[in-house]
Amino acid sequence: MAETKREIERKYEATPDTEVPDLTGAAGIADVVEKGVTELDAVYYDTPGLRLAADKITLRRRTGGEDEGWHLKFPVATGIREEIHAPLGDTVPRVLAGLVRSRTRDTPLVPVVRLRSSRDVRHLVDGQGRLLAELSLDTVHAERLTPGNGTAGWTEIEVELADGADPALLGSVGKRLRKAGIKPASSPSKLARALAETEPGPATASGAASAAALRNATAAAGPGDTAAAHAEEQASSRHADAFAPAGGERAPKAPEAAKSVRHRGARLGSGQAGEHVLAYLREQRDAIVALDPAVRRDLPDSVHQMRVATRRMRSAFKSFRKIVDRSVTDPVGEELKWLAGELGTARDQEVMAERLRGRLDELPHRLLLGPVRSRLRIWATSHRADARRRSIAVLDTERYLSLLDTLDALLDEPPLLPAAKAKPAVALPKAVLKDYDRLAARVEHALDLPAGHERDLAMHDARKAAKRARYSGEAVTPVLGKPAKRFAKRMKAVQTVLGDHQDSVVARETLRDLAVQAHAAGESAFTWGLLFGREEATAADRERELPEVWGEASRPGLRAALGG
């Protein structure tokens, strides 16, 4: 079973004869307790092309010390990492392999570096003897386990904050160390330093190419940027069928597809519309990849955020179809729709359970007839378990991993159309306003219908159009500034009204099912019927509210503000 902890630490350069200064008195440190020397032996695993290292992720098997076992670390912020432990074993634990699968795909994890460290440990404690931080003086020997077999050695100081301790302590300790002439480390981790200092020489050209790609990407990329990891593995077979739609006839293999893309769209220069669209698409791709382990770990809001990223990307394919060729992106969009639908089971159930709990909380106790809270809890628990199993299963399918490969291949060689070379202030407003016109037609159609099922369907269609218009406005905000930001805000207001209406429609279906279940169990269905009526009233309120909200969103000047 994997365990998780938050690791907050700072690293400093040192030499074998470095003297650690007196730290007592700094941020409540009353004493420094010598704990002796521990021998650590860690083997780091990665793909042959170092995809995990490119994303600043480390996976190791370590023996020695109090926490020997498998450790997987994800970056959170500078000096802060999320560390996941699994018991010691001979092979990579299945749960940890799953958490990095969005990066590794089908590429095997292999030993890449071995670090043997002699760790001289001191505990920094307060006046009651409580641990505030652990300071270690590490003498490290690194050995490359991939072609080249380089070695390196160094000494460093590591200060790791204890659980619950004040992070300000690290600043106070760092100040003492710097006054003693001890400088912060230039590498963010032992692995990063080992990879840099054991880089193969010219004799191993392929290894050097991989190292160079890693080095260049790590310098340019932030956390979650996966471009580097893929750049140096172009020779591998994982892109071979990247443009193949799932379950159908395979499209041309990646090299041929890329060649046709280059012919169809030109390389971008600075300040062109396509440059901004591609940056937005890459942001969504990176979000999907980065959120994958969060969904597997069942972290709060992770399913929702991953689903949003898939929808934003699919929406952008449609909104900017004059810039990115739809003949290529449409099949990819269908796969994104499939993924969002699979994830939606979990998210929709979560939202519905929260909505119904809130509705019950609003009722006076005398109107809660029967075990309504227990029935809702049973319904939510059973549906949530099923939805979570389904979400995790989807992330392990070949179809999903193929989609990730397809996104990489598409963004490596984007299918750009001539409009991609246009100035952003010309091409991007046109795309946004086209989405606005589509929304306007759907809202007007919905308002023309009488209340009932047909209007419900029309308002749901308008909701989807509002979401697309909002996303396109948000996508161009970095370029168009305040007008686009205001536009997106207005579209969100319309989406909110339409969304609450649709949630009410779905809630009524769920309430009817709960009422039937209660009746069949010999319970009163009164409360469920009461909530059904309240949801009907909510839907009617949203229908009355829509004309006013839409009038505000579509007031004169919007088109001129966006350059239309």
Side-chain angles (χ1 to χ4, degrees):
M1 191 69 171
E3 298 179 358
T4 303
K5 63 171 289 189
R6 179 65 59 93
E7 178 186 82
I8 305 175
E9 64 182 18
R10 301 288 185 271
K11 294 180 181 293
Y12 300 87
E13 304 285 354
T15 63
D17 58 354
T18 293
E19 292 288 339
V20 177
D22 181 17
L23 298 175
T24 58
I29 297 173
D31 196 9
V32 178
V33 181
E34 298 282 350
K35 303 299 289 187
V37 177
T38 301
E39 301 299 326
L40 305 175
D41 191 344
V43 175
Y44 287 78
Y45 284 70
D46 206 331
T47 66
L50 304 176
R51 295 186 199 172
L52 300 186
D55 274 358
K56 301 179 177 65
I57 296 170
T58 62
L59 173 62
R60 74 185 179 200
R61 179 186 185 274
R62 189 167 80 180
T63 56
E66 296 180 354
D67 64 343
E68 67 177 11
W70 287 90
H71 305 155
L72 175 62
K73 299 183 182 184
F74 288 98
V76 176
T78 302
I80 304 176
R81 293 187 291 182
E82 196 82 1
E83 184 174 309
I84 304 167
H85 292 193
L88 192 64
D90 293 333
T91 59
V92 179
R94 184 176 180 180
V95 64
L96 300 189
L99 293 177
V100 296
R101 188 159 293 127
S102 64
R103 272 87 171 187
T104 63
R105 317 290 164 81
D106 293 324
T107 306
L109 288 162
V110 298
V112 294
V113 166
R114 182 183 185 185
L115 295 182
R116 284 172 287 179
S117 304
S118 182
R119 170 163 288 184
D120 187 356
V121 178
R122 300 115 194 253
H123 282 182
L124 312 182
V125 300
D126 64 12
Q128 286 72 46
R130 291 176 298 202
L131 181 65
L132 299 176
E134 180 177 282
L135 182 147
S136 62
L137 183 64
D138 295 343
T139 302
V140 184
H141 176 77
E143 177 187 359
R144 192 86 166 216
L145 302 179
T146 53
N149 302 114
T151 61
W154 68 89
T155 303
E156 69 179 34
I157 292 174
E158 182 176 294
V159 185
E160 181 175 348
L161 197 69
D163 292 343
D166 185 355
L169 178 140
L170 293 178
S172 298
V173 171
K175 187 176 180 179
R176 290 280 182 97
L177 295 176
R178 288 192 296 274
K179 282 186 176 180
I182 300 173
K183 299 179 180 179
S186 56
S187 294
S189 68
K190 287 183 175 67
L191 176 62
R193 182 166 183 172
L195 289 172
E197 296 191 12
T198 64
E199 179 180 330
T204 55
S206 63
S210 291
L214 168 68
R215 194 168 56 251
N216 294 338
T218 302
D225 190 336
T226 59
H230 313 302
E232 26 73 42
E233 292 191 52
Q234 291 295 318
S236 71
S237 62
R238 76 183 186 87
H239 283 320
D241 297 306
F243 283 94
E249 183 178 349
R250 290 196 178 276
K253 291 180 182 292
E256 289 76 16
K259 182 177 179 181
S260 67
V261 167
R262 289 193 199 101
H263 176 74
R264 194 164 50 240
R267 298 294 184 185
L268 292 177
S270 176
Q272 295 179 345
E275 176 187 13
H276 299 283
V277 172
L278 291 178
Y280 181 78
L281 291 173
R282 290 189 179 105
E283 181 182 339
Q284 308 316 314
R285 184 274 311 274
D286 292 349
I288 293 171
V289 170
L291 286 163
D292 176 296
V295 171
R296 293 175 187 271
R297 294 169 61 196
D298 199 22
L299 296 185
D301 207 37
S302 57
V303 170
H304 172 59
Q305 292 301 326
M306 189 174 185
R307 192 183 185 195
V308 167
T310 65
R311 285 177 163 175
R312 288 182 188 276
M313 195 172 206
R314 180 169 175 256
S315 181
F317 286 155
K318 294 180 178 180
S319 296
F320 304 110
R321 58 189 177 277
K322 298 293 185 181
I323 295 172
V324 186
D325 190 351
R326 284 192 66 177
S327 69
V328 176
T329 61
D330 274 357
V332 183
E334 286 303 307
E335 290 303 283
L336 288 168
K337 181 180 180 180
W338 161 77
L339 177 58
E342 294 296 317
L343 294 172
T345 302
R347 173 59 181 171
D348 291 346
Q349 187 279 331
E350 178 184 347
V351 170
M352 185 53 58
E354 183 178 346
R355 184 183 184 96
L356 296 184
R357 279 193 292 267
R359 291 289 191 250
L360 288 177
D361 290 343
E362 294 170 359
L363 292 178
H365 182 72
R366 62 187 178 82
L367 298 181
L368 300 179
L369 302 188
V372 288
R373 293 191 186 278
S374 296
R375 179 158 296 283
L376 178 59
R377 183 166 53 251
I378 292 169
W379 175 87
T381 301
S382 62
H383 281 70
R384 186 181 189 281
D386 291 342
R388 172 159 171 73
R389 282 193 293 269
R390 181 174 176 177
S391 296
I392 299 301
V394 164
L395 299 185
D396 285 328
T397 62
E398 284 296 321
R399 184 174 182 179
Y400 166 70
L401 296 177
S402 177
L403 171 59
L404 296 183
D405 280 344
T406 299
L407 295 178
D408 289 342
L410 185 146
L411 293 171
D412 285 345
E413 293 290 346
L416 300 174
L417 297 172
K421 286 188 169 183
K423 293 181 179 180
V426 174
L428 299 183
K430 290 181 180 179
V432 175
L433 289 170
K434 194 170 188 66
D435 285 340
Y436 169 79
D437 290 340
R438 176 172 173 268
L439 170 60
R442 293 194 180 188
V443 170
E444 291 167 8
H445 172 65
L447 292 176
D448 286 342
L449 294 173
H453 180 64
E454 291 301 319
R455 175 181 269 195
D456 290 344
L457 294 177
M459 291 186 71
H460 183 42
D461 286 341
R463 176 199 188 188
K464 291 185 284 188
K467 188 176 297 184
R468 178 163 147 187
R470 171 195 168 188
Y471 288 163
S472 64
E474 291 172 345
V476 303
T477 293
V479 184
L480 303 182
K482 289 183 179 180
K485 186 176 182 179
R486 286 195 297 269
F487 172 85
K489 184 177 180 180
R490 293 176 188 175
M491 296 305 102
K492 184 178 180 180
V494 176
Q495 177 192 336
T496 298
V497 171
L498 293 167
D500 195 35
H501 181 275
Q502 176 61 16
D503 288 348
S504 176
V505 172
V506 177
R508 278 176 271 162
E509 296 174 1
T510 301
L511 288 166
R512 183 184 180 281
D513 290 342
L514 287 168
V516 170
Q517 293 170 18
H519 179 74
E523 302 165 7
S524 171
F526 170 82
T527 301
W528 305 119
L530 179 61
L531 293 185
F532 187 99
R534 290 197 169 196
E535 289 292 356
E536 282 187 320
T538 295
D541 288 343
R542 298 294 85 79
E543 290 178 24
R544 286 190 293 270
E545 185 180 354
L546 179 59
E548 180 181 349
V549 174
W550 174 243
E552 178 67 17
S554 60
R555 64 186 178 185
L558 174 62
R559 187 175 295 274
L562 285 174

